[in-house]
Amino acid sequence: TCDTFEMLTAASSVIRPGVAESGMMKEFIERHKYPHKRKYLVPEMEEYLGETYGVMIYQEDVIKIAHHIAGLSLEEADLLRRAMSGKMRSKEAMERLEDKFFFCCSEKGLTSNIARELWRQIESFAGYAFCKAHSASFALLSFQVAYLKVHYPAEFMASVLSNRGGYYSAAVYIQESKRMGLKIKLPSINESEYEYTGNQNSIRIGLMAVK
């Protein structure tokens, strides 16, 4: 369950491809549900990743681990973050930093197995990961949307349809409305407004849909 904004923010991030495909989403969920499964690859990681149970789920986590655990400079750690994310993403830059990462791990006294696992987790973020501020923004919006969908379903779905946006077509949102138990009323020259309207347990299709 998500009973704090911090956990809602984490949930918004762990579903992203970078974290999910690395297997760390499943690991995060397990550690959240079962405290006895919370463990840290390196004991010092608890200080920097304690709130996420030792799992890297934000871009900032990569900087923390690369700098404090592996021993890269802050500049190198940020270069690593930029090399694996957004418009600055670069496979070549990742490869250049890989050698430095393993060298620094060796200098810090980390075993090769630990170093390889840390790099595997870091490298997975190249698939796509959020910075914490981005995730927090999504979490806030997700919470607001979920609240409106639950407490004002007809009004909410009518607004979604009227917005003409979203990832799916209007037909998908109509089907979702039916699944939620809402009655879909056909366009009416006397009753319909230009946009979709929601009232109690029904949605009236707007005239905009028949243009």
Side-chain angles (χ1 to χ4, degrees), residues 95-205:
E95 291 174 348
R96 289 195 300 270
L97 287 164
E98 183 177 3
D99 291 337
K100 183 63 180 291
F101 178 86
F102 283 105
F103 173 79
C104 289
C105 283
S106 179
E107 290 291 294
K108 291 272 286 189
L110 300 179
T111 67
S112 59
N113 286 339
I114 289 176
R116 282 196 297 269
E117 177 57 19
L118 285 175
W119 182 257
R120 183 193 71 80
Q121 293 179 25
I122 289 173
E123 196 173 29
S124 72
F125 277 71
Y128 192 73
F130 278 179
C131 67
K132 189 173 183 179
H134 193 165
S135 189
S137 299
F138 267 73
L140 179 60
L141 182 61
S142 297
F143 181 83
Q144 292 171 333
V145 166
Y147 180 89
L148 292 172
K149 187 177 180 182
V150 169
H151 295 282
Y152 304 95
E155 294 85 345
F156 173 76
M157 294 306 295
S159 295
V160 171
L161 285 159
S162 296
N163 189 46
R164 300 189 187 187
Y167 184 79
Y168 303 102
S169 66
V172 174
Y173 294 117
I174 290 291
Q175 288 302 315
E176 172 64 7
S177 299
K178 290 179 179 179
R179 187 196 66 79
M180 294 164 61
L182 300 176
K183 181 179 180 181
I184 307 301
K185 296 182 178 180
L186 296 177
S188 167
I189 193 65
N190 294 319
E191 301 291 337
S192 290
E193 297 184 15
Y194 178 70
E195 297 183 337
Y196 291 79
T197 53
N199 182 27
Q200 295 183 340
N201 295 317
S202 65
I203 294 175
R204 172 73 72 177
I205 297 177

Side-chain angles (χ1 to χ4, degrees), residues 13-23 56-59 62 80-87 89-91 94 119-131:
S13 186
V14 296
I15 63 172
R16 305 302 159 185
V19 184
E21 292 174 7
S22 69
M56 286 181 278
I57 63 175
Y58 306 119
Q59 290 181 7
V62 172
L80 179 59
R81 178 196 63 79
R82 286 188 285 169
M84 65 184 192
S85 61
K87 295 180 181 179
R89 187 175 299 173
S90 168
K91 182 179 179 181
M94 285 284 288
W119 182 257
R120 183 193 71 80
Q121 293 179 25
I122 289 173
E123 196 173 29
S124 72
F125 277 71
Y128 192 73
F130 278 179
C131 67

Side-chain angles (χ1 to χ4, degrees), residues 2-12 28 51-52 57-58 132 135-136 139:
C2 293
D3 53 6
T4 66
F5 184 69
E6 190 71 42
M7 190 51 58
L8 193 64
T9 301
S12 178
F28 177 85
E51 68 180 29
T52 56
I57 63 175
Y58 306 119
K132 189 173 183 179
S135 189

